[in-house]
Amino acid sequence: MAGKNTYEPVPVEKLRFARTELRIHDTVPATKPIGYMKDAWIRFRRNKMSVAASLIILAIFIFAVITPFINNFEMSSVDGIYAKARPKLKAFERSGFWDGGMNLRLNNRYYMYLTAIGAGAEDVYGAGVTWEDGINSPYYPVISRGEAYDSAGAEFRDARVDSYYIVGFVYVSMTREMFDDVREWEAETGINVFYPMIDTRSRYMDPGNARDANFWYRHAANHAPLNARGQRMDTIEEVMEHGFADNYLRDSEGNARYWVRQDRGMLQVRVLYYNYYQYMNGHEPMHALGADGQGYDIWRRLASGILLSFALAASVSVINLTIGAFWGAAEGYYGGWWDLIAQRICDILWGIPFIVVAALFQLHLVQTGRVSPFWGLVLAFVATGWISTSYTVRTQFYRFKNQEYILAARTLGAKDFRLMFKHIFPNAIGTIITASVLVIPSTIMIESSLSYLGIVAFNTRTTISLGTMTSNAQGFLATDPHILFWPSLIISLLMISFNLFGNGLRDAFNPSLRGTEG
Amino acid sequence: MRMFKYVCKRIGLLIVTFFVIVTICFSLIKLLENEVPLGMQAVVELARREALGYNKPIIEQYGIFLRNVITKWEWGYSWHINYMMPAQETITPRLPSTLLVNAYSIIFCIPVGIALGIWAAIKKNKITDHIISTSVMLFVSVPSFVYAFLMQYTLGFRLGFFPVIVSSLHDAGGSWFTRTMLHSMILPVLALSFGSIAGLARYTRAELTEALTSEYMLLARSKGLTRSRAISTHAMKNAMVPVLPYIFGIVLSVFSGSIIIEAIFAINGVGQLYIRSIHLRDYDVFVVTSAFYTIITLASYILVDLSYGFLDPRIRMGER
Amino acid sequence: MEKKWIQKIIATAIAAVMLFAAACGSAGTPASAEQTAAAEAPASADPVPACGADADPTYTYRFYLGASPLTWNPHTWELDSDFETMWLLQTPLWDIIMSEDGEGWEWLFEEAESYEDITAAFADKERWGVPADAAEGHVFQINLRQDLKWCDGTPINAESYVSSAKLLLDPQLLNYRASALYHTSIAPVNSFEYFFSGKAGQPRFYEAWTAEDAVDAYYFNPAAAHDFLWDYSLHDWVGYEEFEYDGDGVNRYEKYEDLYDFIEITDEVKADLLVFAANFGDDDPGAWLHFAHYIHGVYEEVDWEDVGFFVNDEYSFIMVTKLPNSAWDIMYGLWHIGILVHEETYTAGMHQVGGLMATSYGTSLETTRSHGPYRMISYEIDKQAVYERNPYWYGWNDPRYENWYQATHYVIDIVPDHGTALQLFNQGLLDYLLLVSDDMVVYRFSDYLLRKPSSETARFIFATSLESLIALENEAGDGANKRVLHYSDFRRGFSLAIDRSSLVMQATAGALPQLFLFNDMYYYDISNDPASVYRNSVPAMEAAVRMYGLTYGPGEDFEYLEDAYHALTGYDVEAAREAFQAAYIQAVSDGNYTDGQPVQINVMATGGTVLTADQIRRQDMMNDFITDATIGTGFEGMINITYQFGAPNRYADLWEGRQEVIMGSWFGGYLDVFNFILNYVCPEYAGGMHQLTETNGWDPTGETITIAADFYGNGSETLTRTFTQWARDITAGGEFSGNVPVSLIVMAELEMGVLESYQAVPILSATDIQMRSMKVEYGTYDFNPMYEYGYLRMVTFNYTDAEWAAFVAAQGGTLNYE
């Protein structure tokens, strides 16, 4: 029923004046104008994932900076005896978690050898010691052990062994004055360092074990201990019953001797290394994150490795970004013959094998001392690294070059330079930022494979990089995985966070996203 | 027609670039010094190098090399990797194992990678996206030899589901496609794929999310297309523009093979050939392998540039 | 139209790539198919029923290598993996096996039935230059077995051996292993001349310093002027230093740049040579002699008939040696060289490459022939080699071999990664495993562990001549001092400062500390006394104890010689400080060191492209040792040591004075220690003065050493001779060669003499740790350098292949070797 529209007039008293003053002004905007950067920051803040990522990066950076103050190792402090020791915290000792323990399958002779370390530690004066003394000694290396079982014709037991106490006794050469100094320290602290010397040329000693200071008990050729009457003891029960027969070097009155003359002025002594370490360093051997293949503290080296890798990757990424952006922009924008030539130059540079370039840089620049290893590697990366950024920028420019707004700007008389960097570049900034941010973790990864292939190495006493730590650890992956675990954990964290950070940045710098998020 | 002229120009330039790169490689490897053995062998080694013309100036050696290649297709001989074997023949016996392991890994990882990428992009910022993204991050950032070793140790050694190394032709009964051979290739294929799957998924997700937020998607949805229809016709096509070169990158890696994976699974592939030719200063093998990789890389660049035009008509590579 | 056209381009391109890949793939497959087919061909071709057919039980021994072999041609093999691939395919003339009682060793005649020393009855002695009165030691007749065949049935006789020797010494082939025949004491007459007859007619040039009598004309050839230029030819030095132009404005270097043979030295050439020498810091007017050569006779064209290696009758050949040789020399010499090759396949594989003739013999399945107990039936590059019993081998029906070679098949896998090899071994898929020291914490108490000593000793070597050190200081230009290295007291302090046992414990993979040139792998009279270890001999111990100033006897620090010897570690901080202080006072008084001047010592540790973590650890430990040992001396806190890498030839750089210290090592030759000292003190044995690395600042041909011994059986007397002369006296053809007691005393004094010159400081020697599989038992378990553990010959199997697979499965797929 499409009737004619009829309107009644609105009664006048329902109306009132909206505004009475004569001149009308714009109201002053309540909020300040949001510039491009501020808008980007707002959008970035709202993206939870990338904020978390940047916090992680910050945390890693702070970890690297404060470690020297809270870690009791120097960059250069190293002890080869405790190389590859497992991560251990004093609070967790013998707890089964973070206790420096490693799981081994011990045959009887290995189990007796370890118990002998505990027993030996309780027998400072060579007066004799029982199996129980060994088990109850604080230096007893075995943390926990399973039941004995037979396999391949012998008796075995699975055990968790402390990678610090397993070292046991070590032969050390020192001057007489140092010997006296250690005696003094023993008196002050009550900690025993010197233990009786072993008669290494006696017939109860297998010559192959002469260098191992833990073989203080009489034993046959196959390491099986001998009892006081010289009979071989193959089972644990026999050793429990008879105990170990010591093979100490004794003077005419039968007292154990604590040193042997060497060369003209030196003394060879047998020390319980756990305590000798305390004499040398003032604190118990304890690596929170474990020790690496050479005996450096992983935690301390990791911190300085992070800083070096950050510096290396950041400088490479910045240089790559600047060169790549300009080169790619010129290529993408002008196209035609210039693009062909520029692209071919890129192909040539890209065609040159990176490994040979890196090797040549090392050979001709670094080894001859003209350039430090750090800048030598940065040069190697940058020599061909910028091409990938230029490639991304070139693709972006081709993508946006014929967009309508560019054509419009050109008709309005905008110069090439302004077109490129005012209009096209901001659009491409998202992908470029992501690409250049991703360069940082991938540089660290490439540096690690370069050290694996033996082309570059930041391996000195005071400088180390994450990549070199990873490649050094590759050899120990099967036996000591903790050496590789920490650097690759950091690299993965960096990779994840830089990636999310990059995504966050890209969304933030994408003006078209303004106001679309929820 | 204009595109045809562009392709011809590109192929012409490809040959020039190839020629320049081979020349650079030829002289680069000669710059790295060569260690002389000790004692009596030094005299014989020096005489052999003299006879092989290594003491001549590099330009003269390059002249001889070019003449041999052009006239007799003779790329020289390998002395330190396979004694007295023509350099170009050092590649062919090693190619099948690398090609097969990589081909299987591509067939496995391209579809899986793209599917994960799409799934993550569609479910952006939801649980599945986070799970996929973090696991992708993990596999991209953890060095390949770590998960290669972990898989080999657990699946291969402890559980014994798969052989720990790739079987030899003789043990597998003489051909590459027997059951034992394929069974022994499963672990290296997985190890090779994780890296590519992760990379592909991340890249697809990034491009697809960007495509999903563009105006034409808004237009498509407002035109009444269902969400999946819009994604598949419009968003996917646009997202593929940068993803295709990545796929070509993976295809290209078929030939390079990963040095570490081939060492761990004892694959007699092309991977180590390149590195060993540098370390052992096997000049001719280095030049041949560099030429082999260069020709493939440059050819694939042309294909990638053409593919842009194929996917996005508005883009004409190289136009003014 | 345009769109469709592009799709066509891309489709064809992709097809092309796939085709190319398939072609390579297929090219790969048929090739390998051919290989397997070829493998079938010889097997099926021979009429004799394949030995070890599947009906009987098969015993496979699975071995592995870290790197693939290069070539297993006995004339050109270079790497260890080459040797491992090759030795199965050969049977030597005679071999060394464990004696019946299992204590010592004895010879076992294999391809040879016997050999006779027919020098006395030999007819035309003077034709071969054999001394007329020689009764023995020059002419040897080797009688071969009559039933020898190659693995494809071709018979082997004396002619095969002689023609193989001819190929080994072929002047065009320049075979890598030819020196084992032409350069050793058993070298047949004219073999050296035949090998170098490629240069027939050219004059034979000798370095000027070797000329005894006056020389009228001298000649100069930049490529041969080793004294100054080592093997870098002159043009490498062009532009390296800016040189004055000679009188008429021509740059001196360009004149000789492309000169590759000898020109006579005129006065003008002499002037140029003096300028070159001056630029190396040697401005003595006679320095040009270092570049000069003189002519002494001519390389003649020698043909094979003149070489002392010829057929006697169908199954015996004769070898005439230039130097006299004992029975041991001949047996040991011919045991070591692989002469026999399958001539037809060898010559078929010959190609001319540039100026060089080479053969592809022994590089693939088709080019491989065996006259050993096994033959190759499959070879896959970089992957695996498979062998089976060679049906034509005479041994299968020779009663002496009754319970030997029980293995029916032998497989070598190439497994580059140690972790993977460890897993294969624990799965029972490998019967041998080389351990690294990181595995020791797990396997140290295993019953299957075998520790094999290695003969390699690593040592610091110093350049001590003042002019080299001064040149190095100027080149470094940082004001740091290097001339202190000239003083032997300084180098003695350097040696005494090193705590070798803590160095090996903390910075090496299971090495042993080493104080002397030869470790306890070296024997001095192995042929008569299997326990004649040089290191444990009384003269060696006495000389060592005397060198380090220890005394033994009643009322002394040590009661017995053994006590004193075992107390020697070479680490003595007090003595090191005294030595450094003495060197400091002497250097300051000679004006070679100013107080407070830093000392920078660069050690070229490796030719590799990077320093390993262990090498860097050693550098840090060395700095700690030296800092500790210079406390309270003039050098306190002044000395810094830096390890370097990447030098292509560090031995030459050291001798040339381009490097002050290097890390070097010798190994091998442990069955005759007397012969080994020649590498330190005898120029003509090593191939010229520049091959003796210890001779920068020390001349063994000039330095003398006084030794007291009962030389001629009439009581002890003292004689003084040069190092080189003493070394010649105790080796083949020397005055005391064969007189073991005297040679031993001389040897001990020579070793200590070289050590006391402190041109070299030994540091450590390596050990090999390996694991045996449960599947096999070795011939013996106490290692003997002559036959190690009995080799494959004496390996017996506890399981057949089938039983072994069942046993491993019963253990749950992984074995327990802990």
Side-chain angles (χ1 to χ4, degrees), chain C residues 231-468:
Chain C
D231 71 335
Y232 297 103
S233 47
L234 198 60
H235 66 267
D236 284 348
W237 298 94
V238 166
Y240 184 74
E241 305 277 349
E242 22 8 282
F243 289 89
E244 297 81 10
Y245 287 78
D246 68 0
D248 35 37
V250 173
N251 179 307
R252 293 181 191 281
Y253 261 95
E254 263 108 36
K255 257 195 275 183
Y256 307 103
E257 193 182 1
D258 34 35
L259 169 64
Y260 278 94
D261 54 18
F262 286 89
I263 55 163
E264 195 178 352
I265 296 187
T266 59
D267 292 345
E268 184 213 357
V269 173
K270 193 180 286 186
D272 292 343
L273 293 180
L274 284 175
V275 167
F276 299 154
N279 272 286
F280 283 106
D282 181 354
D283 34 33
D284 134 41
W288 64 272
L289 262 173
H290 285 296
F291 291 88
H293 286 72
Y294 71 102
I295 295 184
H296 175 66
V298 174
Y299 283 109
E300 309 87 18
E301 173 66 54
V302 171
D303 46 30
W304 182 246
E305 280 60 35
D306 301 335
V307 176
F309 198 101
F310 48 89
V311 172
N312 179 35
D313 59 33
E314 202 199 349
Y315 286 104
S316 73
F317 60 88
I318 288 181
M319 196 165 93
V320 184
T321 65
K322 202 159 52 176
L323 295 171
N325 281 286
S326 66
W328 162 260
D329 294 338
I330 282 296
M331 299 278 286
Y332 178 68
L334 283 179
W335 168 51
H336 250 270
I337 322 170
I339 296 180
L340 195 58
V341 284
H342 191 267
E343 199 184 348
E344 186 205 337
T345 324
Y346 194 94
T347 41
M350 280 205 191
H351 295 277
Q352 180 80 19
V353 177
L356 186 74
M357 172 72 81
T359 176
S360 61
Y361 183 72
T363 57
S364 66
L365 186 61
E366 298 73 19
T367 58
T368 301
R369 289 295 180 278
S370 159
H371 62 100
Y374 296 88
R375 65 175 177 191
M376 187 184 276
I377 56 170
S378 142
Y379 177 71
E380 193 182 346
I381 283 188
D382 281 357
K383 185 65 192 160
Q384 184 188 65
V386 181
Y387 304 78
E388 72 178 8
R389 280 184 176 165
N390 169 11
Y392 287 91
W393 191 54
Y394 71 92
W396 304 126
N397 31 43
D398 177 332
R400 296 178 302 169
Y401 295 80
E402 206 49 51
N403 37 35
W404 287 343
Y405 293 116
Q406 195 184 9
T408 57
H409 292 80
Y410 189 89
V411 175
I412 300 182
D413 285 314
I414 311 289
V415 182
D417 181 68
H418 172 69
T420 311
L422 189 69
Q423 289 169 46
L424 287 169
F425 181 76
N426 278 312
Q427 285 184 329
L429 296 172
L430 282 181
D431 300 330
Y432 157 86
L433 180 70
L434 196 62
L435 284 185
V436 290
S437 73
D438 302 328
D439 302 324
M440 282 311 282
V441 73
V442 174
Y443 293 105
R444 68 197 296 181
F445 283 88
S446 160
D447 296 329
Y448 303 93
L449 190 78
L450 297 164
R451 207 184 286 270
K452 198 173 100 173
S454 134
S455 59
E456 178 163 11
T457 302
R459 66 193 198 283
F460 286 107
I461 313 173
F462 299 89
T464 58
S465 63
L466 262 184
E467 74 263 0
S468 305

Side-chain angles (χ1 to χ4, degrees), chain A residues 23 45 53 60 71 80 96 100 126 132 136 161 172 195 204 226 303 329 390 417 423 442 496 516:
Chain A
R23 296 177 59 229
R45 223 183 28 241
I60 292 175
N71 173 311
E132 275 64 34
N136 307 326
V161 180
V172 173
Y195 280 79
Y204 301 112
L226 302 171
S390 83
F417 198 80
H423 294 293
S442 66
I496 295 171
T516 56

